[in-house]
Amino acid sequence: MREIATTDAVGQVLCHDLTQIIKDKKKGPAFRKGHIIREEDIPVLLSMGKDHIYVWERDESILHENEAADILYQMCRSEYMEPSEVKEGKIEIRATRDGLLKIREDRLMKVNLLGEMMIACRHNNTVVKKGEVLAGTRIIPLVIEKEKMEAAKEAAGEQPLLMLKPIEPKKAGIVTTGNEVFYGRIEDTFTPVVEKKFKEFGAEVTMKTLVGDDKDNIRQAILDMIAQGAEVVVCTGGMSVDPDDRTPGAIAATGAEVITYGAPVLPGAMMLLSYYHREGGEAVPVLGLPGCVMYAKRTIFDILLPRILADDPISKEEIASLGVGGLCLGCPTCTFPNCGFGKA
Protein backbone atom coordinates (compact mmCIF):
# COMPACT_ATOMS: atom_id res chain seq x y z
CA MET A 1 0.00 0.00 0.00
CA ARG A 2 1.28 3.47 -0.83
CA GLU A 3 -0.06 7.00 -0.62
CA ILE A 4 -0.41 9.08 -3.79
CA ALA A 5 -2.08 12.35 -4.78
CA THR A 6 -5.64 11.80 -5.92
CA THR A 7 -5.04 13.77 -9.09
CA ASP A 8 -2.36 11.22 -10.03
CA ALA A 9 -4.46 8.15 -9.21
CA VAL A 10 -6.11 7.32 -12.54
CA GLY A 11 -5.54 3.63 -13.29
CA GLN A 12 -4.56 2.77 -9.74
CA VAL A 13 -6.36 0.15 -7.61
CA LEU A 14 -7.99 1.21 -4.34
CA CYS A 15 -6.90 -0.88 -1.38
CA HIS A 16 -9.87 -0.07 0.87
CA ASP A 17 -13.47 1.11 0.72
CA LEU A 18 -14.03 4.87 0.72
CA THR A 19 -17.12 6.10 2.57
CA GLN A 20 -19.11 9.09 1.37
CA ILE A 21 -21.31 11.00 3.83
CA ILE A 22 -23.93 13.45 2.55
CA LYS A 23 -26.07 14.79 5.39
CA ASP A 24 -29.62 13.39 5.39
CA LYS A 25 -28.98 11.66 2.07
CA LYS A 26 -26.22 9.10 2.14
CA LYS A 27 -23.69 7.30 4.28
CA GLY A 28 -21.97 4.42 2.58
CA PRO A 29 -19.12 3.33 0.34
CA ALA A 30 -18.76 5.45 -2.77
CA PHE A 31 -15.87 3.29 -3.98
CA ARG A 32 -15.06 -0.29 -3.07
CA LYS A 33 -11.75 -1.99 -2.46
CA GLY A 34 -10.35 -3.13 -5.79
CA HIS A 35 -11.96 -0.31 -7.78
CA ILE A 36 -9.78 0.95 -10.63
CA ILE A 37 -9.83 4.73 -10.48
CA ARG A 38 -11.13 6.50 -13.56
CA GLU A 39 -10.79 10.13 -14.69
CA GLU A 40 -14.40 10.88 -13.78
CA ASP A 41 -13.82 9.58 -10.22
CA ILE A 42 -11.30 12.30 -9.40
CA PRO A 43 -13.82 15.14 -8.77
CA VAL A 44 -15.92 12.84 -6.60
CA LEU A 45 -12.90 11.83 -4.53
CA LEU A 46 -11.84 15.44 -4.09
CA SER A 47 -15.38 16.40 -3.00
CA MET A 48 -15.08 13.71 -0.32
CA GLY A 49 -11.99 15.40 1.06
CA LYS A 50 -9.61 12.82 -0.42
CA ASP A 51 -6.66 14.86 -1.68
CA HIS A 52 -4.52 11.75 -1.14
CA ILE A 53 -5.50 8.11 -1.24
CA TYR A 54 -3.94 4.70 -0.62
CA VAL A 55 -3.48 2.40 -3.59
CA TRP A 56 -2.53 -1.23 -3.52
CA GLU A 57 1.01 -2.56 -3.63
CA ARG A 58 1.19 -6.24 -2.90
CA ASP A 59 3.41 -7.24 0.01
CA GLU A 60 3.46 -10.90 0.96
CA SER A 61 4.08 -10.04 4.61
CA ILE A 62 0.87 -8.06 5.09
CA LEU A 63 -2.87 -8.56 4.68
CA HIS A 64 -5.53 -6.14 3.58
CA GLU A 65 -8.08 -5.20 6.27
CA ASN A 66 -10.85 -7.21 4.60
CA GLU A 67 -8.73 -10.35 4.34
CA ALA A 68 -7.76 -10.04 8.00
CA ALA A 69 -11.36 -9.36 9.07
CA ASP A 70 -12.34 -12.68 7.52
CA ILE A 71 -9.69 -14.40 9.64
CA LEU A 72 -11.30 -12.90 12.76
CA TYR A 73 -14.68 -14.15 11.57
CA GLN A 74 -13.32 -17.67 11.04
CA MET A 75 -11.91 -17.60 14.59
CA CYS A 76 -15.36 -16.73 15.94
CA ARG A 77 -17.77 -18.71 13.83
CA SER A 78 -19.43 -22.00 14.62
CA GLU A 79 -22.69 -23.71 13.73
CA TYR A 80 -25.79 -21.52 13.27
CA MET A 81 -23.83 -18.38 12.34
CA GLU A 82 -23.32 -16.42 9.13
CA PRO A 83 -21.26 -13.34 8.17
CA SER A 84 -22.32 -10.05 6.70
CA GLU A 85 -20.58 -8.68 3.64
CA VAL A 86 -17.12 -7.45 4.58
CA LYS A 87 -16.87 -3.66 4.49
CA GLU A 88 -13.94 -1.49 5.50
CA GLY A 89 -12.40 -4.29 7.51
CA LYS A 90 -15.69 -5.04 9.32
CA ILE A 91 -17.80 -8.19 9.47
CA GLU A 92 -20.95 -8.72 11.50
CA ILE A 93 -21.84 -12.22 12.69
CA ARG A 94 -25.53 -13.10 12.77
CA ALA A 95 -27.52 -16.02 14.18
CA THR A 96 -29.23 -18.36 11.72
CA ARG A 97 -31.52 -19.74 14.43
CA ASP A 98 -32.72 -18.97 17.95
CA GLY A 99 -30.37 -20.01 20.71
CA LEU A 100 -28.11 -19.23 23.65
CA LEU A 101 -24.88 -17.36 22.88
CA LYS A 102 -21.76 -18.73 24.56
CA ILE A 103 -18.44 -16.87 24.48
CA ARG A 104 -14.96 -18.08 25.39
CA GLU A 105 -14.26 -14.88 27.25
CA ASP A 106 -10.70 -15.63 28.30
CA ARG A 107 -9.62 -16.31 24.70
CA LEU A 108 -11.55 -13.32 23.38
CA MET A 109 -9.66 -11.11 25.81
CA LYS A 110 -6.32 -12.44 24.56
CA VAL A 111 -7.22 -11.59 20.97
CA ASN A 112 -8.40 -8.09 21.82
CA LEU A 113 -5.24 -7.42 23.82
CA LEU A 114 -3.12 -7.88 20.69
CA GLY A 115 -4.20 -4.51 19.32
CA GLU A 116 -4.93 -3.41 15.73
CA MET A 117 -7.94 -5.74 15.72
CA MET A 118 -11.16 -6.11 17.71
CA ILE A 119 -14.05 -8.48 18.31
CA ALA A 120 -17.08 -6.99 20.07
CA CYS A 121 -19.77 -9.41 21.27
CA ARG A 122 -23.05 -9.38 23.09
CA HIS A 123 -23.02 -10.59 26.68
CA ASN A 124 -22.23 -14.23 27.38
CA ASN A 125 -25.33 -16.40 27.91
CA THR A 126 -27.57 -14.02 25.96
CA VAL A 127 -30.72 -15.49 24.41
CA VAL A 128 -30.82 -14.46 20.74
CA LYS A 129 -33.27 -14.77 17.89
CA LYS A 130 -32.61 -15.81 14.32
CA GLY A 131 -31.15 -12.93 12.33
CA GLU A 132 -29.84 -10.99 15.33
CA VAL A 133 -26.25 -9.76 15.49
CA LEU A 134 -24.00 -11.78 17.80
CA ALA A 135 -20.71 -9.98 17.30
CA GLY A 136 -18.74 -7.64 15.08
CA THR A 137 -15.10 -7.84 14.00
CA ARG A 138 -12.85 -5.11 12.68
CA ILE A 139 -9.26 -4.57 11.69
CA ILE A 140 -8.17 -1.10 12.82
CA PRO A 141 -5.48 -0.18 10.21
CA LEU A 142 -5.88 -0.60 6.46
CA VAL A 143 -3.31 -3.38 6.42
CA ILE A 144 -1.96 -5.66 9.12
CA GLU A 145 1.00 -8.01 9.36
CA LYS A 146 0.32 -11.67 8.64
CA GLU A 147 2.46 -12.46 11.66
CA LYS A 148 0.03 -10.59 13.89
CA MET A 149 -2.96 -12.49 12.53
CA GLU A 150 -1.13 -15.75 13.20
CA ALA A 151 -0.68 -14.58 16.79
CA ALA A 152 -4.42 -13.91 16.93
CA LYS A 153 -5.19 -17.43 15.76
CA GLU A 154 -2.89 -18.82 18.42
CA ALA A 155 -4.52 -16.67 21.10
CA ALA A 156 -7.99 -17.84 20.05
CA GLY A 157 -7.05 -21.49 20.18
CA GLU A 158 -8.52 -24.34 18.18
CA GLN A 159 -12.12 -23.98 19.37
CA PRO A 160 -14.44 -21.23 18.04
CA LEU A 161 -14.66 -18.13 20.20
CA LEU A 162 -18.46 -18.15 19.87
CA MET A 163 -21.05 -20.90 20.07
CA LEU A 164 -24.82 -20.82 19.67
CA LYS A 165 -26.60 -23.52 21.64
CA PRO A 166 -30.15 -24.34 20.52
CA ILE A 167 -32.79 -23.96 23.24
CA GLU A 168 -34.83 -27.15 23.18
CA PRO A 169 -38.49 -27.61 24.20
CA LYS A 170 -37.83 -29.98 27.09
CA LYS A 171 -40.42 -31.93 29.06
CA ALA A 172 -40.75 -30.26 32.44
CA GLY A 173 -42.24 -31.37 35.75
CA ILE A 174 -43.40 -29.14 38.61
CA VAL A 175 -43.58 -30.38 42.19
CA THR A 176 -45.68 -27.93 44.19
CA THR A 177 -44.94 -28.12 47.91
CA GLY A 178 -46.57 -26.65 51.01
CA ASN A 179 -49.28 -27.86 53.37
CA GLU A 180 -51.16 -24.60 52.91
CA VAL A 181 -51.69 -25.46 49.23
CA PHE A 182 -51.96 -29.22 49.68
CA TYR A 183 -54.86 -28.90 52.16
CA GLY A 184 -56.60 -26.20 50.14
CA ARG A 185 -56.04 -23.39 52.61
CA ILE A 186 -54.81 -21.12 49.81
CA GLU A 187 -54.84 -21.20 46.01
CA ASP A 188 -51.73 -22.38 44.18
CA THR A 189 -50.57 -19.24 42.40
CA PHE A 190 -46.98 -20.45 42.02
CA THR A 191 -47.39 -23.21 39.43
CA PRO A 192 -49.03 -20.99 36.76
CA VAL A 193 -46.13 -18.52 36.98
CA VAL A 194 -43.57 -21.28 36.42
CA GLU A 195 -45.57 -22.76 33.55
CA LYS A 196 -45.66 -19.36 31.84
CA LYS A 197 -41.88 -19.01 32.09
CA PHE A 198 -41.34 -22.42 30.50
CA LYS A 199 -43.74 -21.51 27.69
CA GLU A 200 -41.65 -18.42 26.87
CA PHE A 201 -39.06 -20.86 25.51
CA GLY A 202 -41.43 -23.42 24.00
CA ALA A 203 -40.94 -25.93 26.81
CA GLU A 204 -43.92 -28.05 27.84
CA VAL A 205 -44.90 -28.78 31.45
CA THR A 206 -46.02 -32.38 31.05
CA MET A 207 -46.17 -33.34 34.74
CA LYS A 208 -47.55 -31.56 37.79
CA THR A 209 -48.09 -32.83 41.29
CA LEU A 210 -49.06 -31.29 44.61
CA VAL A 211 -47.48 -32.51 47.83
CA GLY A 212 -47.32 -31.17 51.36
CA ASP A 213 -44.30 -30.43 53.46
CA ASP A 214 -43.31 -34.05 53.98
CA LYS A 215 -39.69 -34.56 52.93
CA ASP A 216 -40.18 -38.16 51.77
CA ASN A 217 -43.21 -37.25 49.67
CA ILE A 218 -41.33 -34.42 47.96
CA ARG A 219 -38.37 -36.70 47.32
CA GLN A 220 -40.57 -39.42 45.83
CA ALA A 221 -42.48 -36.97 43.64
CA ILE A 222 -39.20 -35.78 42.11
CA LEU A 223 -38.00 -39.31 41.45
CA ASP A 224 -41.36 -40.34 39.96
CA MET A 225 -41.22 -37.48 37.47
CA ILE A 226 -37.68 -38.33 36.45
CA ALA A 227 -38.72 -41.98 36.00
CA GLN A 228 -41.60 -40.82 33.77
CA GLY A 229 -39.22 -38.95 31.48
CA ALA A 230 -39.05 -35.44 32.87
CA GLU A 231 -36.00 -33.61 31.51
CA VAL A 232 -36.10 -30.88 34.14
CA VAL A 233 -37.90 -30.81 37.50
CA VAL A 234 -38.80 -27.67 39.42
CA CYS A 235 -39.94 -27.62 43.05
CA THR A 236 -41.89 -24.57 44.17
CA GLY A 237 -41.77 -23.28 47.74
CA GLY A 238 -40.34 -24.63 50.97
CA MET A 239 -36.93 -23.07 50.31
CA SER A 240 -36.50 -20.89 53.39
CA VAL A 241 -35.10 -21.83 56.81
CA ASP A 242 -38.38 -22.38 58.67
CA PRO A 243 -38.95 -25.81 60.26
CA ASP A 244 -41.56 -26.74 57.64
CA ASP A 245 -39.36 -25.76 54.68
CA ARG A 246 -38.06 -29.16 53.65
CA THR A 247 -37.58 -28.90 49.91
CA PRO A 248 -33.76 -28.55 49.95
CA GLY A 249 -33.39 -31.69 52.06
CA ALA A 250 -35.81 -33.59 49.85
CA ILE A 251 -33.91 -32.67 46.68
CA ALA A 252 -30.61 -33.73 48.27
CA ALA A 253 -32.22 -37.02 49.41
CA THR A 254 -32.93 -37.99 45.78
CA GLY A 255 -29.19 -38.44 45.30
CA ALA A 256 -28.96 -35.39 43.05
CA GLU A 257 -25.66 -33.51 42.97
CA VAL A 258 -26.37 -30.20 44.68
CA ILE A 259 -24.43 -27.45 42.90
CA THR A 260 -25.53 -24.70 45.26
CA TYR A 261 -28.19 -23.83 47.79
CA GLY A 262 -28.16 -20.07 47.79
CA ALA A 263 -27.04 -17.55 45.17
CA PRO A 264 -25.78 -13.93 45.19
CA VAL A 265 -28.85 -12.77 43.29
CA LEU A 266 -31.79 -10.64 44.39
CA PRO A 267 -34.53 -11.67 43.90
CA GLY A 268 -33.63 -15.36 44.19
CA ALA A 269 -31.07 -15.79 46.96
CA MET A 270 -32.68 -18.99 48.34
CA MET A 271 -32.58 -20.89 45.03
CA LEU A 272 -31.22 -24.45 44.87
CA LEU A 273 -29.65 -25.92 41.73
CA SER A 274 -28.83 -29.61 41.41
CA TYR A 275 -28.42 -32.31 38.78
CA TYR A 276 -29.82 -35.82 39.08
CA HIS A 277 -27.72 -38.26 37.06
CA ARG A 278 -29.63 -41.07 35.39
CA GLU A 279 -27.98 -44.38 34.68
CA GLY A 280 -25.87 -43.74 31.61
CA GLY A 281 -24.86 -40.26 32.73
CA GLU A 282 -27.73 -38.04 31.48
CA ALA A 283 -28.12 -35.12 33.89
CA VAL A 284 -31.60 -33.92 34.83
CA PRO A 285 -31.65 -30.42 36.37
CA VAL A 286 -33.67 -30.29 39.62
CA LEU A 287 -34.34 -26.82 41.00
CA GLY A 288 -35.83 -25.51 44.19
CA LEU A 289 -37.43 -22.12 43.57
CA PRO A 290 -37.93 -19.58 46.35
CA GLY A 291 -41.21 -17.73 46.77
CA CYS A 292 -39.95 -14.58 45.03
CA VAL A 293 -40.33 -16.34 41.66
CA MET A 294 -44.08 -16.26 42.26
CA TYR A 295 -44.39 -12.49 42.60
CA ALA A 296 -41.24 -10.76 41.28
CA LYS A 297 -41.18 -9.89 37.57
CA ARG A 298 -37.72 -11.39 37.03
CA THR A 299 -35.52 -13.49 39.30
CA ILE A 300 -32.61 -15.88 39.19
CA PHE A 301 -34.93 -18.41 37.53
CA ASP A 302 -35.12 -16.17 34.45
CA ILE A 303 -31.32 -16.03 34.33
CA LEU A 304 -30.80 -19.79 34.61
CA LEU A 305 -33.76 -21.23 32.68
CA PRO A 306 -32.40 -20.55 29.15
CA ARG A 307 -29.14 -22.25 30.04
CA ILE A 308 -30.98 -25.25 31.46
CA LEU A 309 -33.10 -25.60 28.33
CA ALA A 310 -29.96 -25.28 26.16
CA ASP A 311 -28.24 -28.16 28.02
CA ASP A 312 -25.56 -25.76 29.22
CA PRO A 313 -24.13 -27.06 32.53
CA ILE A 314 -24.00 -24.44 35.28
CA SER A 315 -21.17 -24.52 37.82
CA LYS A 316 -21.00 -23.24 41.38
CA GLU A 317 -18.37 -20.71 40.27
CA GLU A 318 -20.73 -19.34 37.62
CA ILE A 319 -23.49 -18.93 40.20
CA ALA A 320 -21.05 -17.11 42.49
CA SER A 321 -20.03 -14.81 39.63
CA LEU A 322 -23.61 -13.54 39.42
CA GLY A 323 -22.84 -11.36 42.41
CA VAL A 324 -21.73 -8.82 39.81
CA GLY A 325 -24.94 -7.89 37.99
CA GLY A 326 -27.15 -10.04 40.21
CA LEU A 327 -29.13 -7.17 41.70
CA CYS A 328 -32.46 -6.47 40.02
CA LEU A 329 -33.48 -2.83 40.40
CA GLY A 330 -37.19 -3.59 40.20
CA CYS A 331 -37.80 -0.95 37.56
CA PRO A 332 -41.44 0.21 37.19
CA THR A 333 -41.25 -0.85 33.54
CA CYS A 334 -39.30 -4.09 33.25
CA THR A 335 -37.03 -4.29 30.20
CA PHE A 336 -35.36 -7.64 30.99
CA PRO A 337 -33.37 -9.09 29.28
CA ASN A 338 -32.37 -5.71 27.85
CA CYS A 339 -30.91 -4.53 31.14
CA GLY A 340 -27.97 -5.27 33.44
CA PHE A 341 -29.70 -7.95 35.55
CA GLY A 342 -27.71 -11.17 35.41
CA LYS A 343 -24.91 -9.68 33.30
CA ALA A 344 -21.34 -9.21 34.45
Side-chain angles (χ1 to χ4, degrees):
M1 181 180 72
R2 64 188 174 95
E3 177 186 325
I4 63 172
T6 300
T7 52
D8 297 331
V10 175
Q12 298 293 330
V13 179
L14 277 177
C15 66
H16 63 100
D17 296 347
L18 291 178
T19 299
Q20 184 178 38
I21 301 175
I22 303 175
K23 188 177 183 298
D24 300 326
K25 291 184 179 181
K26 178 182 179 181
K27 181 184 182 299
F31 301 98
R32 294 284 192 184
K33 166 199 170 185
H35 176 74
I36 300 174
I37 299 171
R38 302 164 299 179
E39 189 70 45
E40 57 266 34
D41 297 332
I42 303 302
V44 179
L45 289 166
L46 293 173
S47 74
M48 293 166 56
K50 305 298 182 183
D51 290 336
H52 296 80
I53 58 174
Y54 288 113
V55 294
W56 188 248
E57 279 188 326
R58 191 67 183 177
D59 183 335
E60 295 301 322
S61 68
I62 63 173
L63 292 170
H64 184 271
E65 58 179 351
N66 288 356
E67 296 173 293
D70 185 67
I71 292 174
L72 291 181
Y73 165 69
Q74 296 300 332
M75 287 159 40
C76 291
R77 70 175 295 274
S78 58
E79 195 173 11
Y80 313 124
M81 298 179 193
E82 65 182 7
S84 68
E85 179 185 0
V86 58
K87 294 180 181 179
E88 300 173 324
K90 296 183 289 186
I91 295 178
E92 286 187 344
I93 304 170
R94 295 183 178 271
T96 61
R97 65 160 296 162
D98 298 355
L100 179 76
L101 177 63
K102 301 293 297 182
I103 302 167
R104 295 170 65 221
E105 294 182 3
D106 57 337
R107 293 289 182 169
L108 177 67
M109 174 73 79
K110 289 182 179 181
V111 173
N112 282 332
L113 280 171
L114 290 172
E116 296 190 312
M117 66 188 76
M118 51 120 317
I119 302 170
C121 306
R122 299 177 71 166
H123 281 285
N124 200 6
N125 298 317
T126 294
V127 177
V128 298
K129 298 293 185 181
K130 179 180 178 180
E132 290 185 347
V133 176
L134 307 177
T137 72
R138 180 158 194 173
I139 301 300
I140 308 302
L142 292 174
V143 294
I144 191 169
E145 295 82 2
K146 285 184 178 180
E147 184 178 351
K148 193 147 196 176
M149 296 311 300
E150 289 300 319
K153 286 192 256 185
E154 184 176 351
E158 296 183 0
Q159 299 299 316
L161 293 175
L162 309 182
M163 181 167 56
L164 192 63
K165 286 192 168 187
I167 294 176
E168 304 291 353
K170 294 184 179 299
K171 296 178 181 178
I174 301 176
V175 177
T176 303
T177 73
N179 285 342
E180 69 277 21
V181 178
F182 183 71
Y183 291 113
R185 298 168 189 158
I186 65 169
E187 180 186 357
D188 175 20
T189 56
F190 207 151
T191 299
V193 171
V194 177
E195 285 187 284
K196 183 178 179 181
K197 291 185 182 295
F198 274 111
K199 286 179 181 177
E200 288 181 17
F201 297 101
E204 181 183 5
V205 177
T206 58
M207 289 163 262
K208 293 184 285 185
T209 189
L210 179 60
V211 296
D213 289 319
D214 183 81
K215 175 181 171 180
D216 290 336
N217 288 343
I218 299 171
R219 169 187 171 275
Q220 193 58 51
I222 296 168
L223 292 174
D224 288 345
M225 286 186 175
I226 293 173
Q228 293 167 35
E231 297 170 289
V232 54
V233 178
V234 170
C235 300
T236 65
M239 292 300 299
S240 189
V241 293
D242 295 335
D244 291 331
D245 289 334
R246 293 167 182 161
T247 303
I251 294 174
T254 65
E257 175 192 4
V258 176
I259 302 301
T260 183
Y261 173 32
V265 176
L266 292 173
M270 302 302 289
M271 183 273 315
L272 185 148
L273 170 67
S274 70
Y275 291 96
Y276 181 90
H277 298 279
R278 301 183 196 267
E279 289 187 17
E282 181 189 357
V284 179
V286 181
L287 286 81
L289 300 184
C292 63
V293 175
M294 179 171 46
Y295 58 81
K297 290 179 182 177
R298 297 295 178 178
T299 69
I300 190 170
F301 188 47
D302 299 283
I303 297 172
L304 300 186
L305 183 57
R307 296 189 60 183
I308 288 167
L309 297 179
D311 286 326
D312 186 37
I314 304 167
S315 68
K316 184 174 183 177
E317 290 75 18
E318 288 176 306
I319 295 293
S321 72
L322 291 174
V324 176
L327 178 63
C328 176
L329 298 180
C331 302
T333 300
C334 180
T335 59
F336 182 88
N338 299 316
C339 68
F341 183 49
K343 299 178 176 68

